Amino acid sequence: MAVDYFADRLDEWQSVARSLSHLVRATRARGFDVQDLEAPRRNVLTFYGVGGIGKSTLSRCVAEHLGRGLSQEGHWPRLDEETGPVVPVRIDLARDSGMDFESLVLAIRLAAAEIGRPMPTFDLALQRYWEHNHPGETLDEYVLRRTRLSGLPGARSLSGQVQSALADVAQAVALPGTVGNIVGQGLRTVVRALRERQHRVRALAECRRFADLLEATPDQDALSYYPHLLAWDLANVPARHRATLVVLLDTFEDVGDRVHRDLERLVQRVVWLMPGTLFVITGRNRLQWDDPRLEGQLDWAGEEFWPQLVGGAVQEPRQHTVGYLSAGDCETYLSRRLTRDGRPMMDDATRHLITANSHGLPLYLDLAAMRFLDLYRRRGRVPAANEFNLDFPALVARTFRDLSPETRRVLRSVSLLETFSVPLASAAAGLDHDAPAQDLVDRPFVDQDVDAPWPYRLHALVRDAVREMDSTSDDRWTNADWQRAARRVFDALGREDLSHRGRLVSALRQGLGLSHQFDLPLGWLEDAAFRYVDDFVWEPIEPPADSAGGGSTTPAQALATALSAIAQRQRHHRGRTAQQLRAVLSSGALPENLEELPRYFLAECDRDLGNFQASLDGMRHVADAGGRLSATARRGLIHLARRIGDFPQAEQAATHLGVEGRQDRVMGDLYWAQGSIALACSSYAAARDQALAAGQPGEAALSQSCLAFAAAFQDRPRAAEQIARAEELLAGVTIRWAEVQTRIASLVRDAGTAEDLPERAEAVAAEAREAGLTSSLAYVRFAECLHAHLAGGADALASARDRLRRECVDGVEFAYLVELTYLMANEEPPAGLPRATWLDTTDQVRARWAGLTEDRRRESATTRQGD
């Protein structure tokens, strides 16, 4: 009988136990403050080492033992009674696991639900985040539809705890009605009430950062700070209910490798903000948080922040290399893995030989046990010991030969893939039936992750060994065979349904790797690349490594580099993106029909950076080529014409864009500058609705952010609604310009009434400069001019106007914004200022803007009297 058995890792378990003991003593000590964000952190235990040595198994068994104990008696000792109750949660961070940052935070909160107490500050913030980012979907529905979350013990109690917390808060601050009123009002009422009356709720009043976090824009960045609230809630659970949370993060190597450590930064922030929680991290690589050179990529980098992560640290929790199993562990594993009538099936000689050849590698033991069982079933007798005198590659080869010819064919084919499904594996192998692929996925060296875009993947060591052993196996494939297999696998990927975002990104990654390694034409990757940029996906696409070691750039490498740069422009300065795209174009590696991709986005970056002529040349080149991005480039030319105030030319070109060229959004851009706010809003709304109907969430979010900006000039109550909707739509995509534009809309809405507007404007301006967005900076300075005109008088307006001109006007670029500051004040622009060519007469534009600002002035005066 074959049974699952986990070989002893007593030293590792003792490290966990000691780490918990030290952490609990530290958090119970006098002077410990969970709100202290400056003190060094000592809450991270790391196990790292090469693949195949059982790190994931260790992580699973630690979680199981902490949660309910292992089935084998005497396997690991229990924790000290002084440690108290422990609540574990294990999270697999593998690239294709489907575990995004939002799910990670929810998983931690679901674990905390096991304590059985509400977490009021965190839950209130979570409810506000949920309303904005998942409109119409309850937390219960979301959790239960996701296998990774629904399987956690707290999945069914979380919603009740959240509702209880909200109801208690509503009652404590003396709000009328029930929690339903709070949720229905979008929490705005309760936020104001908490500011005024939070002293009535001790747990809220003493949480110093609660109100600020509750009022922050509920995006992913804010979500990454909410664990501070959860840490506060956990620290304030009554002593008789208190428990220590243990978060086990497995496959951590896939976090740090995700382009510029964006996800790792968020995960590290969670760890830092929860000093009373033990984080047990397992992965292939040593955690580098103690390296000061990572400052800027991570929030806290250096040994002063993480003193126990440095080499040579002795106190737990610290970093450990996970070693191979001892000889005794191997013997025990083999004795208990295969038994008959309660006795080991392997004799002593076989166990000793397998142990010696395994060098303590758990995967070797598992493959040997599988081979032993297969031979026993086929022959009806116990195999001889000498049949296991094999090193690892030889054992894989023997295991490989024990498979049927068709299953071997499938195994070879899927070794070219990172992840796969049964139908994809069959197609990759060129088979018209699934039985061989199904036989393969039932083998122990195939891992399954039901939430990944494709659920199966070969163990990394087996995947590597399959290629290596083909130089010696009897039925080995030639290079030509591998080339044909790569072509089949590549074509099979291209036939998959890539409408799902995760599959599109996974197919791009794997297809680009195959194209690079086997010199395959890009084929379907071209269409996938355009879909990637059209859909505002922006998940990272890493360029394939140069396996030839310094050889010329392949088309696949060039395309991947371009896509990576295009995606990263949403997170970094446009200058960095422009440099990368220029390098792609200068390499000459892309086919002619794909050159428009980096050329257009380079022109877009040049526009954002203020390189007007370079942007104009690039846009014209793409527009004249008549390719897939020609309509987009024509729209880019219109934006450039608008920047220099040539509105009739922009309007004439816009009428030929059509739906594909986003004509309605472009017309909205033209109308608001004329002071025709109603026309602008209706155009933006039409563009948004068209995008939603076409299943284009990124374009819908972009149009909505523009609508919020335009509405803010005229209708402040409506603007608040439009800003909220823009934030909701932007939660599902990453569009840096639109995110900044929505913040500028808030500035325009509050112009003339908000005393803190200059400070807020400076924060948005800093964000625009950091991203290299010249138009956004110009709009921020224009909003400051509006505020000065409405609330500050002539001197304040002159100062704000001078800043707009000094920082943003380059020749004729954005001079029309300066001109508008004179028209809205019913003043004559100075003779030296470049003048715009408006769609109507200057007097008509002046009348509209002067009327808008006069209406706003009266509204502001009424608001101040009411206050």
Side-chain angles (χ1 to χ4, degrees), residues 138-211:
T138 68
L139 191 58
D140 271 346
E141 292 170 346
Y142 182 88
V143 168
L144 294 177
R145 282 196 295 105
R146 283 157 176 78
T147 306
R148 288 191 174 277
L149 297 177
S150 63
L152 295 175
R156 298 190 178 278
S157 57
L158 175 60
S159 181
Q161 290 184 15
V162 172
Q163 298 302 309
S164 174
L166 294 177
D168 290 346
V169 168
Q171 183 178 8
V173 298
L175 288 177
T178 64
V179 67
N181 296 97
I182 296 177
V183 176
Q185 297 172 31
L187 297 178
R188 295 186 186 90
T189 303
V190 76
V191 170
R192 284 198 301 271
L194 284 170
R195 276 293 192 192
E196 299 166 359
R197 290 170 270 179
Q198 75 173 34
H199 64 277
R200 301 187 184 183
V201 191
R202 187 190 66 82
L204 306 185
E206 296 180 6
C207 185
R208 296 191 293 270
R209 300 174 183 88
F210 170 60

Side-chain angles (χ1 to χ4, degrees), residues 106-272:
L106 285 177
I108 295 174
R109 176 59 183 94
L110 288 170
E114 281 293 278
I115 297 174
R117 304 288 298 181
M119 304 290 156
T121 64
F122 178 87
D123 289 348
L124 196 55
L126 176 64
Q127 184 65 43
R128 180 164 186 257
Y129 171 88
W130 206 258
E131 283 187 10
H132 278 267
N133 295 284
H134 296 271
E137 181 178 30
T138 68
L139 191 58
D140 271 346
E141 292 170 346
Y142 182 88
V143 168
L144 294 177
R145 282 196 295 105
R146 283 157 176 78
T147 306
R148 288 191 174 277
L149 297 177
S150 63
L152 295 175
R156 298 190 178 278
S157 57
L158 175 60
S159 181
Q161 290 184 15
V162 172
Q163 298 302 309
S164 174
L166 294 177
D168 290 346
V169 168
Q171 183 178 8
V173 298
L175 288 177
T178 64
V179 67
N181 296 97
I182 296 177
V183 176
Q185 297 172 31
L187 297 178
R188 295 186 186 90
T189 303
V190 76
V191 170
R192 284 198 301 271
L194 284 170
R195 276 293 192 192
E196 299 166 359
R197 290 170 270 179
Q198 75 173 34
H199 64 277
R200 301 187 184 183
V201 191
R202 187 190 66 82
L204 306 185
E206 296 180 6
C207 185
R208 296 191 293 270
R209 300 174 183 88
F210 170 60
D212 290 335
L213 285 174
L214 195 61
E215 290 182 324
T217 301
D219 53 16
Q220 181 171 266
D221 193 58
L223 179 66
S224 70
Y225 287 99
Y226 292 173
H228 174 70
L229 303 178
L230 184 58
W232 164 262
D233 290 326
L234 289 167
N236 284 275
V237 169
R240 65 181 181 276
H241 298 291
R242 196 166 297 165
T244 301
L245 197 61
V246 179
V247 179
L248 300 103
L249 303 176
D250 192 26
T251 326
F252 201 80
E253 65 270 13
D254 271 10
V255 172
D257 288 345
R258 290 175 178 173
V259 183
H260 304 300
R261 299 180 184 265
D262 290 344
L263 178 57
E264 185 176 5
R265 182 175 195 154
L266 298 177
V267 174
Q268 189 206 56
R269 190 175 293 166
V270 172
V271 176
W272 183 270

Side-chain angles (χ1 to χ4, degrees), residues 93-111:
L93 297 171
R95 187 183 306 278
D96 291 303
S97 70
M99 181 61 70
D100 57 13
F101 181 71
E102 181 181 83
S103 298
L104 182 148
V105 173
L106 285 177
I108 295 174
R109 176 59 183 94
L110 288 170

Side-chain angles (χ1 to χ4, degrees), residues 23-73:
L23 183 68
V24 169
R25 283 202 300 271
T27 56
R28 292 177 182 173
R30 186 184 300 274
F32 174 78
D33 182 5
V34 75
Q35 298 192 86
D36 183 356
L37 300 185
E38 304 297 329
R41 293 306 193 247
R42 297 176 171 84
N43 61 330
V44 182
L45 174 64
T46 307
F47 296 110
Y48 68 96
V50 299
I53 57 176
K55 299 182 299 297
S56 293
T57 304
L58 171 65
S59 178
R60 284 192 294 269
C61 289
V62 168
E64 186 178 353
H65 192 65
L66 290 173
R68 55 183 181 274
L70 292 174
S71 57
Q72 289 84 4
E73 284 191 22

